[in-house]
Amino acid sequence: MGEKSVQKRKFILETARKVFVDKGFKKVTMKDIVEACEISRGGLYLYFDNTSQIFLEVMKLESQEADDVFSDSITEDATAADILLLFLQEQKKELLRKNDTLTQAIYEFYFQNQLGKKDNILKRQFDSAVKIIEKLIETGTDNGEFYCEDCKGTARNIMFVLEGLKISAQTIGITAEAVDREILFILKSLGLEG
Amino acid sequence: MGEKSVQKRKFILETARKVFVDKGFKKVTMKDIVEACEISRGGLYLYFDNTSQIFLEVMKLESQEADDVFSDSITEDATAADILLLFLQEQKKELLRKNDTLTQAIYEFYFQNQLGKKDNILKRQFDSAVKIIEKLIETGTDNGEFYCEDCKGTARNIMFVLEGLKISAQTIGITAEAVDREILFILKSLGLEG
Amino acid sequence: MGEKSVQKRKFILETARKVFVDKGFKKVTMKDIVEACEISRGGLYLYFDNTSQIFLEVMKLESQEADDVFSDSITEDATAADILLLFLQEQKKELLRKNDTLTQAIYEFYFQNQLGKKDNILKRQFDSAVKIIEKLIETGTDNGEFYCEDCKGTARNIMFVLEGLKISAQTIGITAEAVDREILFILKSLGLEG
Amino acid sequence: MGEKSVQKRKFILETARKVFVDKGFKKVTMKDIVEACEISRGGLYLYFDNTSQIFLEVMKLESQEADDVFSDSITEDATAADILLLFLQEQKKELLRKNDTLTQAIYEFYFQNQLGKKDNILKRQFDSAVKIIEKLIETGTDNGEFYCEDCKGTARNIMFVLEGLKISAQTIGITAEAVDREILFILKSLGLEG
DNA sequence: CATGAATGAGAGTTCATTCAT
DNA sequence: GATGAATGAACTCTCATTCAT
């Protein structure tokens, strides 16, 4: 595949992302993507076979970029509490951002595609997030910033709460205040005052 | 609509439930339900106009039955801790029951139908569950069974964790052990040993 | 058929008439009529087999009533010119009455049902109208009210103009002024000043 | 849409025309046209959305061709009487041509689609025909070919008679002799002997 | 006589996918 | 590589008509 096609491939994925954000996963047809990209019907098939394949690639791109953002935000002189707070604020932003998230599409995708454990990007992301938070809490506890008996358990608890908030945001709706309340609850349980 | 059709209506809803359990919400067509019920194409339309309507009715039935089960389990001589434990065990069972749950379909349904706050059964259920748990924790705290500073906050936290577990079960998959671990974590935070 | 069924039959025809006025002929389904009559689906079939049959009967009723109205209007002391004028005014009213006419339905019906010459109520009505007008003109000419060389030809001409106005009213639309203009033109050609 | 599809588009319209001639307007389904064209179900939808759209285009084509025929027939040395006679003979042919006319379909179409005054091809055609006839009669009167007091009125009268004949041909049926009779009547009223 | 549940044919419409150019 | 016309399967929905009660 030449330089040109790499460009086009990327263009398709970026455009498709918008479509998925708008419509979720299942509702999106190859036709939708063709039209959004303003390419030919057959043209899309030169690059991708179906919407699942496209979506997987979109998620790959997405998670790379997310990682980059996260890495950047960890600076030398930030305390564990700072970073945890930052992380939670990021999550809050994501949660409440109704109109520029793949969240719904991702859930739908995993509903449809029971890919088991392999290739489950979502699971990898969840597990790695747990580890990072655990590390943070450990560090913070060692520094005397937090108080925590079961760091791993707490990390997991935090992640499940966040998942719960995320899905609630998509189904029953959730206010900024409700998110704040939950974050505060977490912080208090770590002995912080938010 | 006579006695007979009430029966048939119920039969359709029960059959449709199975279809939704199998396929989620979006994938289900009127044709799927027609075939599952072994009735005629037009016959289904005598009772329901579209899959959304059917699904709403299925959920209504479902939540009535769930309420019944729950009410029954609250006996005179059960302690708050007993009931809370029972509730969590029920949730665990539901969580792990992969092949007989509407969970996925429900999520999909609410993705598609942004019904706002009215008619959102899910929200009503969530809120009422929070209240019940709060009450339980209060009672338990008064009785000296638990220790808890912020009963409402804890109740909410529990529910969000459960939501997080539920969606995780549907997307990244979750083991019985993982659920136990989270339940234990909750109980410990209440000063119980599970 | 008992007294009761005769009543019901008539009720159905009267209700069906309204439906045909509203929707024309082709668009009307047995279901439409069932619903308008608020009777059972099967019930309608006890009286009529299809919409064509119903429509024919509606027309029969209609033409009986129209004849009655017309007969009544011919009084002893009316001049030929009076009666002709009256007839033309009646036609004008009918033409412009957009929302209580079977006209459209009748045309549609005859489009669909090429019943040849037998049973063609429309043709019978047309021919008899020509005869009546011819008679009127003859009488009027004898009385010196009109001037006319070819009475039969004039009568036919008048009827075709009226047909042309009727169909135009249903297709390209027509104003009261346009109808008046045509009536005046006819009267002038008879040596009258309208 | 390339060169090729323009051809196909035209092919579809021509084939659809035959279907409309056969069946009128309302009865015609997309399926009918698909089958007549021997193309695929989806194929037709690439070109047209529904039968109304197709019919409008068929009429457009039709009226273009009709205009061409008419223009051709007006030669340098023809007298007004010649042209008027020719026009009436054309109309007669059209009237009596039972099996190759869109007439019925056109009426049905305008029954269904109360397009008001805009886009009403029929009205435009009627009005323009009136003007042409008026001009002819004026010219003929100036030349001493005809005698006529109210040229515009006469032109309108002729057109309404023709409309009346046209609809009568479709509903009550009409013979060649009847048409001749009416044409003769018109010509006589212009002082011609036909 | 009357009801209305039930059936099944058939119309409209949309897309994934292919393939000649 | 790229196009977009073409196909056909699949879905939704509506009714005429029948028939057990």
Side-chain angles (χ1 to χ4, degrees):
Chain A
M1 210 182 302
E3 176 62 28
K4 215 170 166 187
S5 2
V6 172
Q7 291 260 324
K8 185 152 180 182
R9 205 184 149 79
K10 212 181 162 201
F11 167 73
I12 292 174
L13 290 176
E14 280 162 0
T15 312
R17 187 190 179 281
K18 288 177 215 155
V19 182
F20 287 124
V21 165
D22 272 10
K23 300 199 168 191
F25 172 70
K26 270 199 188 157
K27 221 172 156 177
V28 173
T29 67
M30 290 296 267
K31 198 189 165 211
D32 289 331
I33 296 173
V34 156
E35 278 166 7
C37 295
E38 291 181 308
I39 58 174
S40 70
R41 233 157 151 108
L44 182 56
Y45 281 89
L46 291 175
Y47 293 90
F48 304 100
D49 288 337
N50 49 54
T51 54
S52 287
Q53 198 190 109
I54 300 177
F55 190 71
L56 271 170
E57 306 263 3
V58 167
M59 275 203 294
K60 235 183 263 174
L61 263 185
E62 183 90 353
S63 79
Q64 278 164 18
E65 287 164 16
D67 284 356
D68 292 351
V69 170
F70 195 69
S71 313
D72 290 355
S73 69
I74 304 184
T75 56
E76 286 288 307
D77 51 344
T79 66
D82 285 343
I83 297 175
L84 183 62
L85 224 69
L86 197 89
F87 171 76
L88 292 174
Q89 290 309 322
E90 272 306 312
Q91 295 290 311
K92 176 185 164 192
K93 240 193 283 174
E94 170 91 16
L95 272 173
L96 298 173
R97 202 178 347 141
K98 260 245 115 144
N99 300 314
D100 184 31
T101 323
L102 276 179
T103 316
Q104 208 171 95
I106 292 174
Y107 285 143
E108 276 185 39
F109 179 76
Y110 281 104
F111 287 165
Q112 181 152 86
N113 298 273
Q114 306 289 21
L115 303 176
K117 280 144 200 172
K118 26 184 164 178
D119 242 6
N120 194 320
I121 299 184
L122 221 52
K123 185 163 175 50
R124 274 208 305 272
Q125 288 180 339
F126 186 91
D127 290 341
S128 102
V130 168
K131 264 187 208 130
I132 294 172
I133 298 177
E134 188 188 347
K135 204 74 173 228
L136 271 177
I137 299 182
E138 270 175 8
T139 313
T141 307
D142 290 349
N143 293 350
E145 294 178 69
F146 310 139
Y147 170 75
C148 168
E149 276 181 12
D150 174 6
C151 295
K152 189 170 206 88
T154 305
R156 268 194 307 249
N157 177 269
I158 290 174
M159 278 305 290
F160 280 119
V161 169
L162 287 175
E163 279 297 307
L165 286 166
K166 226 193 295 188
I167 185 70
S168 297
Q170 299 294 329
T171 51
I172 64 181
I174 211 157
T175 61
E177 291 72 43
V179 181
D180 284 335
R181 224 159 35 202
E182 292 311 311
I183 291 182
L184 215 67
F185 188 89
I186 288 170
L187 295 178
K188 265 195 213 150
S189 80
L190 283 168
L192 277 175
E193 277 312 299
Chain B
M1 215 182 295
E3 178 61 28
K4 209 174 173 184
S5 20
V6 170
Q7 293 258 325
K8 184 150 184 185
R9 204 184 152 79
K10 212 180 162 199
F11 166 73
I12 292 174
L13 289 176
E14 280 161 1
T15 313
R17 187 189 179 283
K18 288 177 213 154
V19 182
F20 287 124
V21 166
D22 272 10
K23 300 199 167 191
F25 172 71
K26 271 198 190 158
K27 221 171 156 177
V28 173
T29 67
M30 290 297 267
K31 203 188 158 212
D32 289 332
I33 296 173
V34 156
E35 278 163 9
C37 294
E38 290 181 306
I39 57 175
S40 69
R41 240 154 154 63
L44 181 55
Y45 282 91
L46 289 177
Y47 295 90
F48 304 100
D49 287 337
N50 48 54
T51 55
S52 287
Q53 194 190 112
I54 299 177
F55 190 71
L56 271 169
E57 305 260 4
V58 167
M59 276 202 293
K60 234 183 265 173
L61 262 186
E62 184 90 354
S63 80
Q64 276 164 19
E65 286 163 17
D67 284 355
D68 293 349
V69 170
F70 195 70
S71 313
D72 290 353
S73 69
I74 304 184
T75 57
E76 285 288 307
D77 51 344
T79 65
D82 286 343
I83 297 174
L84 184 62
L85 224 68
L86 197 89
F87 171 75
L88 293 174
Q89 291 308 323
E90 271 306 312
Q91 294 291 312
K92 176 185 164 191
K93 241 193 281 173
E94 170 92 16
L95 273 174
L96 298 173
R97 207 182 338 143
K98 257 248 116 141
N99 300 315
D100 185 31
T101 323
L102 276 180
T103 316
Q104 209 170 96
I106 291 175
Y107 285 142
E108 276 184 40
F109 178 77
Y110 281 103
F111 286 166
Q112 181 152 88
N113 298 275
Q114 307 290 23
L115 304 176
K117 278 142 200 174
K118 22 183 167 183
D119 246 3
N120 194 320
I121 299 184
L122 220 52
K123 184 161 175 53
R124 274 207 305 271
Q125 287 180 339
F126 186 92
D127 291 340
S128 102
V130 168
K131 262 184 211 135
I132 293 173
I133 298 178
E134 188 188 347
K135 204 78 176 221
L136 270 178
I137 299 181
E138 270 176 9
T139 313
T141 307
D142 291 348
N143 292 350
E145 296 177 66
F146 311 139
Y147 170 75
C148 169
E149 277 182 12
D150 174 6
C151 297
K152 189 169 206 89
T154 305
R156 269 195 306 248
N157 178 269
I158 291 175
M159 278 306 291
F160 280 118
V161 169
L162 287 174
E163 277 298 306
L165 285 166
K166 226 193 295 186
I167 185 69
S168 297
Q170 299 294 329
T171 50
I172 64 182
I174 210 156
T175 61
E177 291 73 42
V179 180
D180 284 335
R181 229 165 24 209
E182 292 310 311
I183 290 183
L184 215 66
F185 187 88
I186 289 170
L187 295 177
K188 265 195 213 151
S189 80
L190 284 168
L192 278 174
E193 277 313 299
Chain C
M1 208 182 300
E3 177 62 28
K4 217 172 165 185
S5 359
V6 171
Q7 292 260 322
K8 185 152 181 183
R9 205 183 150 79
K10 211 181 161 201
F11 167 73
I12 292 175
L13 290 176
E14 280 162 359
T15 313
R17 187 191 179 282
K18 287 178 213 152
V19 182
F20 287 123
V21 165
D22 272 10
K23 299 198 167 192
F25 172 70
K26 272 201 187 155
K27 222 172 155 177
V28 172
T29 67
M30 289 297 267
K31 200 189 164 213
D32 289 331
I33 296 173
V34 156
E35 279 166 8
C37 294
E38 290 181 309
I39 58 174
S40 70
R41 235 156 149 106
L44 181 56
Y45 281 89
L46 291 176
Y47 294 89
F48 305 99
D49 287 336
N50 49 54
T51 54
S52 287
Q53 197 189 111
I54 300 176
F55 190 71
L56 271 170
E57 306 262 3
V58 167
M59 276 203 293
K60 237 182 263 174
L61 264 185
E62 185 88 355
S63 77
Q64 279 164 19
E65 287 163 16
D67 284 354
D68 293 349
V69 170
F70 195 69
S71 313
D72 291 354
S73 68
I74 304 186
T75 57
E76 285 288 308
D77 50 344
T79 66
D82 285 344
I83 298 174
L84 183 63
L85 223 71
L86 197 89
F87 172 75
L88 293 174
Q89 290 309 323
E90 272 307 312
Q91 295 289 312
K92 176 184 163 191
K93 241 194 280 174
E94 171 91 16
L95 274 173
L96 298 173
R97 204 180 343 141
K98 257 249 117 137
N99 300 315
D100 184 31
T101 323
L102 276 180
T103 314
Q104 208 170 96
I106 292 175
Y107 285 142
E108 277 185 38
F109 178 76
Y110 281 103
F111 287 166
Q112 181 152 86
N113 297 274
Q114 305 291 20
L115 303 177
K117 280 144 200 171
K118 22 182 167 183
D119 243 5
N120 194 319
I121 299 182
L122 221 52
K123 185 161 173 50
R124 273 208 306 273
Q125 288 180 338
F126 186 90
D127 290 342
S128 100
V130 169
K131 264 186 211 131
I132 294 172
I133 298 177
E134 187 188 347
K135 205 75 173 226
L136 271 177
I137 298 182
E138 270 174 9
T139 313
T141 306
D142 290 348
N143 293 349
E145 295 178 67
F146 310 140
Y147 170 75
C148 168
E149 276 180 13
D150 174 6
C151 295
K152 190 172 205 88
T154 305
R156 270 195 306 250
N157 177 269
I158 289 174
M159 279 306 291
F160 280 119
V161 169
L162 286 174
E163 278 298 306
L165 285 166
K166 225 194 294 186
I167 185 70
S168 297
Q170 300 294 328
T171 51
I172 65 179
I174 210 156
T175 61
E177 290 73 42
V179 180
D180 284 334
R181 225 163 29 206
E182 293 310 312
I183 291 182
L184 215 66
F185 188 89
I186 289 170
L187 295 177
K188 265 195 213 151
S189 79
L190 284 167
L192 278 176
E193 278 312 299
Chain D
M1 215 183 291
E3 176 62 28
K4 209 174 171 182
S5 18
V6 170
Q7 293 259 323
K8 184 150 183 184
R9 203 186 153 78
K10 212 181 160 199
F11 165 74
I12 292 175
L13 289 177
E14 280 161 1
T15 313
R17 187 189 178 284
K18 288 176 213 155
V19 183
F20 287 124
V21 165
D22 273 10
K23 299 198 168 192
F25 172 70
K26 270 199 189 157
K27 220 171 156 178
V28 173
T29 67
M30 290 299 267
K31 205 187 158 215
D32 289 332
I33 296 173
V34 156
E35 279 164 9
C37 295
E38 290 182 306
I39 57 175
S40 68
R41 238 154 151 63
L44 181 55
Y45 283 90
L46 290 177
Y47 295 90
F48 304 100
D49 288 336
N50 49 54
T51 54
S52 286
Q53 195 190 113
I54 300 177
F55 191 72
L56 271 169
E57 306 259 4
V58 167
M59 276 202 292
K60 234 183 266 174
L61 263 185
E62 186 88 355
S63 78
Q64 277 165 18
E65 287 164 15
D67 284 355
D68 292 349
V69 170
F70 195 69
S71 313
D72 290 354
S73 67
I74 304 184
T75 56
E76 285 287 308
D77 50 345
T79 66
D82 286 343
I83 298 175
L84 184 63
L85 223 70
L86 197 91
F87 172 75
L88 293 174
Q89 290 310 322
E90 272 306 313
Q91 294 290 312
K92 177 185 164 191
K93 241 193 281 174
E94 170 93 16
L95 273 172
L96 298 173
R97 207 182 339 144
K98 256 247 118 139
N99 299 314
D100 184 31
T101 322
L102 276 180
T103 315
Q104 207 170 99
I106 291 176
Y107 285 142
E108 276 185 40
F109 178 76
Y110 281 103
F111 286 165
Q112 182 152 86
N113 297 274
Q114 307 289 23
L115 303 177
K117 279 143 202 174
K118 25 182 167 186
D119 248 3
N120 194 320
I121 299 184
L122 222 51
K123 186 164 174 47
R124 273 208 304 272
Q125 288 179 340
F126 186 92
D127 290 341
S128 102
V130 168
K131 263 185 211 135
I132 293 172
I133 298 177
E134 187 188 348
K135 205 80 176 218
L136 271 177
I137 298 181
E138 271 175 9
T139 313
T141 306
D142 290 348
N143 292 349
E145 296 177 65
F146 311 139
Y147 170 75
C148 169
E149 277 181 12
D150 174 5
C151 296
K152 190 170 205 89
T154 305
R156 269 194 307 247
N157 177 269
I158 290 174
M159 279 305 293
F160 279 118
V161 169
L162 288 173
E163 278 297 306
L165 285 165
K166 227 194 293 185
I167 185 70
S168 297
Q170 300 294 329
T171 51
I172 64 181
I174 211 157
T175 61
E177 290 73 43
V179 181
D180 284 334
R181 229 163 26 208
E182 293 310 312
I183 291 183
L184 216 65
F185 188 89
I186 289 171
L187 296 178
K188 266 195 214 151
S189 79
L190 283 168
L192 278 175
E193 276 314 297

